[in-house]
């Protein structure tokens, strides 16, 4: 996967060259919002009581080489993946089968399902759903002589982050390629090797499309978009880029940030059959907006639901007429258990479950299935019992990762940590996890700038392809479906986790090779 030139990549840099690049990157990133709030390890909370500080997001100094064939493959199948997960989100029977397997041992999944059942009993007000998805991949190359292929790490249906910072990272590397890299002792001019990235504008287009679909109806109030967020939020600038794009492109759309903990205080439901979601800005409570789209950048993990009032807030939004991104069922479609079931290979007695959702395109079923890696349940089925033997074996476990039904990074258990972790849990809880074969990509080298310090060496890259999809659950019609740009996250090859916000990975962009 290294560039096919005689020159090493990235080039060896003198200390003066490194200093100059860091100087340029630090200023460019702050000037262009490629930034995060500093972590407590860097700036203690008491030293920034008014939350005014920002720092460069962890970022690579060079774009990482990535096989063009793999990049093109990942982009080409995103529309099919959007269709697949829109179909799964509409198949309540299938999702119920998934949930029933794990709800006894996964309280979070059980509570999400309870919200759905409660709204279903009353009757859903809104049939249209929005998905801002991201499908994550790593390159797999069995031998040096074989063609590299992509293997899916996971599919994200809620809070698919970094679209805003990804575009800025692409712009940073293009800027460096035109201004700084040509001045190195080993000059670089990457030019067309840096692909176009539309992540911010394309994700915003998905939100605007949902907003326009909602606004076709009669609305007594001015409509808005609500970003449901965590508070505090270190990754705020990533969200702001998307927010500004929604607001500024074409006709201005009011966008408000609503901390999850303030949903009850700042929203209410109209006393109408549609149950419109009304938002009352805290800076001007006399004004009332009707929420056309609710975009969740919080609510994906148990920590966002500390008490019953948090679940009541989610219920209020779910039963409202606002278009949700995602709805409860769409969020559940992203559970790791769903990924495991989809990846189960077919045989003569058990055809692939993909055929249930991809009825109109058998060729797409084949293409998607080729991106799956080996994923096993940890239940008491024959496949699950086989996986348990692997997971508990001190040698075999070294090729696997254990994943819970969670989003957000930092939740997985790797390699030799798997047996003691499982042995610390009751066996009845094991079925809430999946066992996934670790994808081992070809070696890549790069340099990462994190918290002002340089980290140099081997790295592992994870490609995310964004997709936007809008569908009507009543008519089964897909109203909008597009591939929506890309994200490249890179981590040191000794790190297991890759989450940037969680402190493991760094922002990167693609150099096609």
């Amino acid at each position: 996967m290294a560039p096919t030139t005689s020159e090493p990549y990235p080039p060896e840099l003198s200390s003066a060259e490194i200093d100059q690049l860091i100087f340029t990157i630090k200023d460019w990133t702050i000037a262009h919002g490629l930034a995060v709030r500093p972590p407590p390890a860097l700036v203690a909370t008491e030293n920034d009581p008014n939350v005014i500080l920002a720092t460069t997001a962890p970022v690579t100094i060079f774009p990482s080489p990535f096989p063009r064939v793999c990049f093109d493959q990942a982009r080409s199948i995103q529309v099919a993946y959007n269709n697949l997960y829109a179909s799964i989100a509409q198949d309540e029977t299938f999702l119920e089968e998934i949930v029933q397997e794990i709800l006894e041992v996964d309280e979070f999944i059980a509570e999400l399902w309870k919200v759905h059942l409660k709204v279903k009993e009353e009757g859903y007000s809104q049939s249209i759903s929005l998905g801002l998805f991201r499908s994550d991949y790593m390159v797999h190359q069995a031998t040096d002589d074989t063609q590299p292929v992509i293997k899916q790490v996971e599919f994200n249906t809620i809070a698919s982050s970094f679209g805003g910072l990804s575009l800025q990272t692409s712009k940073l590397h293009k800027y460096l390629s035109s201004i700084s890299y040509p001045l190195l002792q080993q000059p670089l001019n990457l030019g067309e090797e840096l692909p176009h990235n539309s992540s911010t504008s394309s994700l915003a287009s998905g939100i605007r499309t949902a907003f326009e679909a909602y606004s076709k109806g009669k609305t007594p109030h001015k409509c808005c978009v609500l970003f449901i967020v965590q508070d505090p939020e270190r990754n705020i600038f990533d969200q702001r880029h998307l927010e500004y794009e929604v607001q500024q492109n074409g006709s201005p759309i009011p966008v408000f940030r609503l901390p999850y903990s303030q949903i009850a205080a700042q929203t209410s439901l109209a006393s109408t059959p549609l149950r419109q979601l009304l938002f009352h800005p805290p800076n001007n409570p006399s004004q009332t907006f009707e929420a056309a789209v609710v975009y969740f950048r919080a609510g994906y993990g148990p920590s966002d639901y500390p008490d019953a009032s948090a679940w009541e807030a989610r219920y209020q939004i779910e039963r409202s007429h606002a278009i949700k991104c995602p709805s409860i069922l769409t969020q559940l479609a992203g559970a790791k258990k769903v990924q495991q079931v989809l990846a189960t290979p077919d045989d003569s007695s058990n055809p692939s479950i993909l055929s249930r959702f991809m009825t109109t395109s058998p060729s797409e079923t084949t293409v998607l299935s080729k991106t799956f890696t080996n994923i096993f349940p940890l239940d008491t089925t024959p496949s699950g019992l086989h996986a348990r033997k692997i997971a508990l074996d001190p040698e075999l476990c070294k090729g696997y990762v254990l994943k819970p039904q969670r989003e957000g990074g930092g939740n997985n258990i790797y390699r030799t940590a798997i047996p003691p972790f499982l042995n610390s849990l009751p066996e009845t809880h094991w079925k809430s996890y999946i066992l996934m074969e670790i994808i081992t990509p070809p070696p890549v080298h790069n340099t990462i700038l994190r918290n002002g310090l340089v980290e140099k060496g081997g790295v592992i890259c994870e490609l995310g392809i964004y997709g936007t999809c809008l569908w009507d659950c009543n008519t089964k019609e897909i109203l909008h479906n597009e591939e929506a740009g890309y994200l490249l996250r890179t981590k040191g090859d000794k790190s297991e986790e890759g989450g940037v916000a969680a402190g493991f990975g760094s922002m990167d962009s693609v150099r096609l090779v």
Side-chain angles (χ1 to χ4, degrees):
M1 196 168 74
T4 55
T5 68
S6 58
E7 298 294 333
Y9 185 87
E12 289 293 329
L13 302 177
S14 67
S15 58
E17 287 177 320
I18 292 177
D19 289 344
Q20 182 60 40
L21 280 172
I22 291 174
F23 179 80
T24 302
I25 290 171
K26 286 193 296 186
D27 287 351
W28 193 99
T29 54
I30 295 301
H32 294 80
L34 180 47
V36 294
R37 297 291 185 201
L42 186 64
V43 178
T45 303
E46 58 268 24
N47 292 334
D48 185 23
N50 297 318
V51 195
I52 63 172
L53 298 181
T55 187
T56 298
V59 65
T60 58
I61 290 179
F62 297 94
S64 289
F66 199 91
R68 185 184 297 269
V69 63
C70 293
F71 184 77
D72 291 343
Q73 179 192 4
R75 291 187 61 193
S76 69
I77 60 177
Q78 185 59 39
V79 167
Y81 259 120
N82 293 346
N83 267 325
L84 170 61
Y85 274 84
S87 297
I88 292 171
Q90 296 176 75
D91 194 330
E92 184 196 17
T93 301
F94 170 73
L95 289 175
E96 183 175 19
E97 293 170 358
I98 295 291
V99 169
Q100 290 299 328
E101 286 191 45
I102 56 178
L103 62 79
E104 291 182 4
V105 294
D106 194 316
E107 184 179 355
F108 179 63
I109 295 294
E111 290 296 329
L112 287 172
W113 187 248
K114 286 179 185 177
V115 172
H116 159 66
L117 292 179
K118 197 173 176 182
V119 178
K120 178 186 176 185
E121 183 178 2
E122 180 182 28
Y124 273 91
S125 171
Q126 179 59 260
S127 63
I128 296 176
S129 285
L130 172 64
L132 298 190
F133 299 141
R134 195 186 72 224
S135 187
D136 293 337
Y137 306 95
M138 293 175 94
V139 174
H140 176 72
Q141 192 169 13
T143 68
D144 292 341
D145 300 325
T146 57
Q147 184 87 334
V149 296
I150 54 169
K151 292 296 182 180
Q152 189 181 63
V153 177
E154 64 182 355
F155 193 93
N156 302 275
T157 63
I158 183 170
S160 303
S161 59
F162 291 113
L165 294 193
S166 180
L167 176 60
Q168 300 310 107
T169 307
S170 295
K171 289 180 177 180
L172 166 66
H173 287 151
K174 288 183 178 181
Y175 173 80
L176 295 174
S177 180
S178 63
I179 301 299
S180 298
Y181 299 159
L183 301 180
L184 298 174
Q185 294 179 39
Q186 299 178 37
L188 280 177
N189 191 343
L190 303 181
E192 294 182 0
E193 297 171 18
L194 304 182
H196 174 69
N197 191 359
S198 65
S199 53
T200 305
S201 59
S202 294
L203 290 170
S205 177
I207 293 176
R208 284 196 302 272
T209 300
F211 181 88
E212 291 163 3
Y214 184 98
S215 301
K216 289 179 181 178
K218 293 182 179 180
T219 56
H221 304 283
K222 189 172 183 179
C223 289
C224 73
V225 173
L226 292 181
F227 279 40
I228 306 298
V229 299
Q230 295 174 333
D231 187 19
E233 173 59 76
R234 286 187 53 234
N235 194 30
I236 188 170
F237 303 105
D238 173 52
Q239 300 170 9
R240 287 291 196 184
H241 284 302
L242 183 55
E243 176 185 337
Y244 299 151
E245 185 71 20
V246 172
Q247 289 173 318
Q248 297 173 1
N249 195 304
S251 301
I253 295 175
V255 179
F256 298 97
R257 295 176 62 80
L258 177 58
Y260 197 104
S261 60
Q262 297 301 307
I263 290 174
Q266 297 178 22
T267 68
S268 61
L269 295 186
S271 300
T272 68
L274 289 179
R275 303 189 295 272
Q276 293 93 340
L277 183 65
L278 306 180
F279 174 69
H280 316 284
N283 58 312
N284 191 350
S286 63
Q287 285 195 329
T288 299
F289 289 84
E290 185 173 330
V293 180
V294 176
Y295 172 47
F296 284 96
R297 288 297 292 260
Y300 52 81
S303 62
D304 289 325
Y305 303 84
D307 51 38
S309 66
W311 284 108
E312 193 63 28
R314 185 65 187 267
Y315 169 61
Q316 175 167 293
I317 290 179
E318 192 71 9
R319 67 191 289 257
S320 78
H321 193 57
I323 296 174
K324 274 72 70 177
C325 179
S327 67
I328 290 282
L329 291 182
T330 306
Q331 181 172 347
L332 288 169
K336 301 300 184 292
K337 183 65 179 178
V338 171
Q339 184 186 6
Q340 175 259 305
V341 172
L342 292 176
T344 301
D346 59 330
D347 55 43
S348 56
S349 59
N350 294 296
S352 169
I353 195 69
L354 277 176
S355 58
R356 175 170 177 164
F357 305 107
M358 310 291 288
T359 55
T360 60
S361 182
S363 61
E364 285 187 346
T365 301
T366 302
V367 170
L368 295 188
S369 64
K370 288 181 178 179
T371 68
F372 297 154
T373 189
N374 290 324
I375 308 176
F376 303 99
L378 279 178
D379 53 23
T380 55
T381 63
S383 179
L385 294 175
H386 171 69
R388 290 184 177 195
K389 289 182 180 179
I390 295 174
L392 294 173
D393 188 287
E395 287 300 319
L396 294 178
C397 70
K398 293 178 180 178
Y400 291 84
V401 54
L402 192 68
K403 292 187 173 186
Q405 316 298 317
R406 295 288 178 270
E407 303 292 342
N411 298 304
N412 299 332
I413 310 299
Y414 288 84
R415 306 180 193 270
T416 55
I418 295 174
F421 176 80
L422 284 178
N423 286 326
S424 72
L425 299 177
E427 282 194 30
T428 53
H429 287 220
W430 291 7
K431 62 183 179 182
S432 65
Y433 292 82
I434 63 167
L435 189 70
M436 181 175 179
E437 190 171 16
I438 289 176
I439 304 164
T440 306
V444 176
H445 289 80
N446 210 331
T447 305
I448 296 172
L449 176 63
R450 186 194 312 278
N451 298 335
L453 301 176
V454 169
E455 305 168 5
K456 181 181 178 182
V459 297
I460 295 173
C461 303
E462 187 172 310
L463 177 72
I465 303 295
Y466 295 103
T468 60
C469 192
L470 189 73
W471 65 93
D472 191 318
C473 298
N474 287 344
T475 66
K476 307 301 180 184
E477 181 184 3
I478 300 291
L479 307 173
H480 167 94
N481 187 357
E482 290 183 351
E483 178 257 316
Y486 83 92
L487 161 72
L488 193 69
R489 288 174 297 173
T490 293
K491 62 184 179 182
D493 59 9
K494 299 296 187 287
S495 172
E496 302 284 19
E497 293 286 356
V500 178
F504 305 105
S506 66
M507 300 300 301
D508 197 351
S509 74
V510 164
R511 178 190 180 185
L512 296 174
V513 295

